[in-house]
Amino acid sequence: MTDTTDVTERVRAPRSHGPPEGGEAADILAGARGCVDPELRRAVESLPGSMRRVALYHFGWERADGTPAAGDAGKAIRPALVLAAVRALGGDPRAAVRAAAAVELTHHFTLLHDDVMDRGATRRRRPTAWTVFGDADAILAGDALQDLAQRLLAEDPHPGAAVAAARLAACVAELCAGQRADCALERRAPGEVSLAECLATAEARTGALLGCACAIGAVYAGAGVETADALDGFGRQAGLAFRLIDDVIGIWGDPARTGRPGWADLAARRKSLPVVAALASGTPDGAALAALYDRRARTGDLDRMARAVEGAGGRDWAQAQAADRMSRALQEVARAVPDPERAGGLLTLAEFVTRRSH
């Protein structure tokens, strides 16, 4: 049984962000990947040639030259949430595999597009699809994955498929709006961005799909709207906790563990949540950070920026907020699944996403 108090306290841990090594979370994720990967492969293999090649490369199943690869398709957190939600509500997870695959396809659609917009050069320690195949092919492959997601649900005979498709379509609109808001925020001056805006954008970009995954699991378990909405709220709050911790890692994470360059978010002048909290602090460190954000950074400036964010309270604020959001997530899951024993899989996954290091 997972102790909900312990989950929140672990998120409060001030300087440790490593994921659990092995254990229950790893078993849940491996089980989800084993169930969902065959469905994903069937879907991707049905794409026209050029888009299929890009998608297979993106998932890590082929190299750039088209030869087979045993790459990393990701941790399968979102499909695992679908299946864990079904299980928590007494449904049959096997009946929801297609829905779980649809959620994962949607996630990868966003990754392909985000990499193009952010000019991200690497993902899972290899070149991103747009750097290999070009912008147009990467964008079109992402579009194709989103089409596949809706097609999987449209062809699913499960009685909850239509409701799930509607929820997923609404989620995609929210994801796009969140990405658009994030792009707009990044173009504004440091002092013109508020914490409220950043939190709302983070929820739309990260929390929305995690919440949708949980809600679709509820739908496939035959639960009503109120239960599905409660699990949507659980996923959203856990997703926001994830975003807060990920932003902390983006500044202070160990490159050897994260695969990212040191101070990567500061070098890119990202208005991440710890940074915006520091800028809004009204402290001397916050003012120093604002001045540094307005000029081209040298290596020494990045170190000074990191110390300024911490000195202005940005790091502590982000970690306290992550713990608060996890507390809210636990309240939401308790509404849907009052028995913590039955909710154990969901709680384990929520802890995992907020304890990750990369």
Side-chain angles (χ1 to χ4, degrees), residues 3-346:
D3 187 311
T4 57
T5 301
D6 183 58
V7 172
T8 304
E9 288 305 315
R10 286 176 184 239
V11 176
R12 290 183 192 277
R15 295 292 182 266
S16 175
H17 305 292
E21 299 296 334
E24 187 179 356
D27 291 343
I28 292 171
L29 293 168
R33 177 58 70 203
C35 290
V36 171
D37 266 5
E39 193 70 49
L40 288 175
R41 287 296 294 257
R42 279 192 291 272
V44 170
E45 292 284 0
S46 74
L47 290 173
S50 60
M51 288 180 286
R52 179 173 68 247
R53 182 180 175 188
V54 177
L56 288 169
Y57 172 83
H58 168 77
F59 276 100
W61 297 327
E62 282 188 0
R63 300 181 182 89
D65 62 3
T67 57
D72 175 13
K75 294 182 177 64
I77 290 168
R78 290 152 192 84
L81 284 169
V82 174
L83 302 179
V86 174
R87 189 176 290 108
L89 293 167
D92 182 0
R94 293 171 298 180
V97 169
R98 190 173 294 183
V103 170
E104 184 74 339
L105 286 167
T106 300
H107 173 53
H108 283 273
F109 140 72
T110 69
L111 296 183
L112 280 161
H113 282 203
D114 287 357
D115 285 342
V116 173
M117 286 184 279
D118 298 342
R119 311 316 284 172
T122 60
R123 182 172 293 280
R124 294 190 293 272
R125 294 177 170 82
R126 52 183 212 146
T128 46
W130 73 267
T131 67
V132 175
F133 300 100
D135 289 1
D137 280 354
I139 291 168
L140 291 170
D143 292 342
L145 294 187
Q146 177 52 22
D147 173 72
L148 283 178
Q150 285 295 331
R151 195 173 85 196
L152 283 181
L153 292 173
E155 295 174 352
D156 192 348
H158 192 282
V163 174
R167 279 191 174 264
L168 190 58
C171 178
V172 168
E174 186 175 358
L175 289 168
C176 292
Q179 179 68 9
R180 174 66 183 80
D182 186 65
C183 291
L185 288 175
E186 291 300 331
R187 289 195 295 268
R188 284 156 57 184
E192 297 175 357
V193 178
S194 73
L195 268 176
E197 288 178 295
C198 288
L199 285 166
T201 300
E203 180 178 339
R205 293 189 69 227
T206 304
L209 190 55
L210 292 177
C212 184
C214 297
I216 285 175
V219 168
Y220 268 68
V225 173
E226 185 175 347
T227 298
D229 286 347
L231 285 187
D232 183 274
F234 161 75
R236 283 174 179 273
Q237 294 299 329
L240 196 44
F242 161 83
R243 180 77 271 149
L244 286 152
I245 293 299
D246 195 63
D247 281 356
V248 169
I249 293 167
I251 299 175
W252 294 284
D254 178 2
R257 299 189 66 188
T258 67
R260 309 180 195 179
W263 301 311
D265 285 356
L266 297 178
R269 294 299 202 283
R270 279 197 63 233
K271 296 179 183 72
S272 64
L273 288 162
V275 166
V276 175
L279 291 169
S281 66
T283 64
D285 279 315
L289 178 66
L292 288 166
Y293 249 54
D294 275 340
R295 70 172 194 252
R296 184 175 293 276
R298 299 182 297 272
T299 301
D301 286 339
L302 296 178
D303 178 54
R304 290 168 62 197
M305 283 182 190
R307 286 187 280 110
V309 176
E310 186 153 18
R315 182 173 186 167
D316 288 340
W317 175 87
Q319 291 175 322
Q321 275 286 310
D324 176 66
R325 296 296 173 165
M326 273 303 301
S327 178
R328 298 187 197 189
L330 300 180
Q331 292 171 18
E332 292 289 350
V333 79
R335 286 175 50 210
V337 191
D339 180 2
E341 188 71 41
R342 289 175 53 203
L346 289 169

